[in-house]
């Protein structure tokens, strides 16, 4: 079984806030493991990889709405187009995270 990491250490690891992780969850980008009794959120190594990918995309100016699982082909097209033009900011599309 994969180790589970609580929200606090995950946030410290990536330099983000719990609100940011909850935002990604609301957008459907992450589905943490939730303890049914305490309702605490826990993250697996796969979640950590996903968070890292989201943060890399955000650093390139790609809105989180494009980072979702169903948008991977769109994300690849956007990245390819940005590489060709040398522009890697999609900030005009808007996103608060």
């Amino acid at each position: 079984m994969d180790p589970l990491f609580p929200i606090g250490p995950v946030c410290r690891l990536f330099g983000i806030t719990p609100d940011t992780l909850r935002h990604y969850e609301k957008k459907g980008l992450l589905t943490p493991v939730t303890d049914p009794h305490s309702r605490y959120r826990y993250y697996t190594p796969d979640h950590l990889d996903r968070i890292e990918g989201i943060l890399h995309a955000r650093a390139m100016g790609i809105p989180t709405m494009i980072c979702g699982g169903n948008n991977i082909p769109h994300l690849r097209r956007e990245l390819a187009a940005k590489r060709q033009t040398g522009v890697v900011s999609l900030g005009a599309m808007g996103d608060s995270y």
Side-chain angles (χ1 to χ4, degrees), residues 5 10 13-14 30 43-53:
F5 304 96
V10 171
L13 176 67
F14 290 106
L30 290 174
Y43 300 88
T44 66
D46 287 340
H47 289 118
L48 301 184
D49 289 342
R50 180 79 176 139
I51 294 165
E52 185 175 38

Side-chain angles (χ1 to χ4, degrees), residues 17-57:
T17 65
D19 285 340
T20 298
L21 283 182
R22 290 183 195 109
H23 173 76
Y24 295 158
E25 183 180 346
K26 287 177 189 171
K27 292 265 191 174
L29 301 174
L30 290 174
T31 306
V33 176
T34 305
D35 182 304
H37 301 292
S38 67
R39 301 194 57 187
Y40 288 157
R41 293 169 171 86
Y42 293 97
Y43 300 88
T44 66
D46 287 340
H47 289 118
L48 301 184
D49 289 342
R50 180 79 176 139
I51 294 165
E52 185 175 38
I54 292 167
L55 294 175
H56 281 295

Side-chain angles (χ1 to χ4, degrees), residues 61 63 65 89-95:
M65 66 184 188
S89 178
L90 300 177
M93 296 179 73
D95 194 359

Side-chain angles (χ1 to χ4, degrees), residues 66-78:
I66 295 178
C67 295
N70 294 334
N71 289 324
I72 297 300
H74 180 69
L75 177 59
R76 286 186 179 140
R77 285 193 301 276
E78 290 292 334

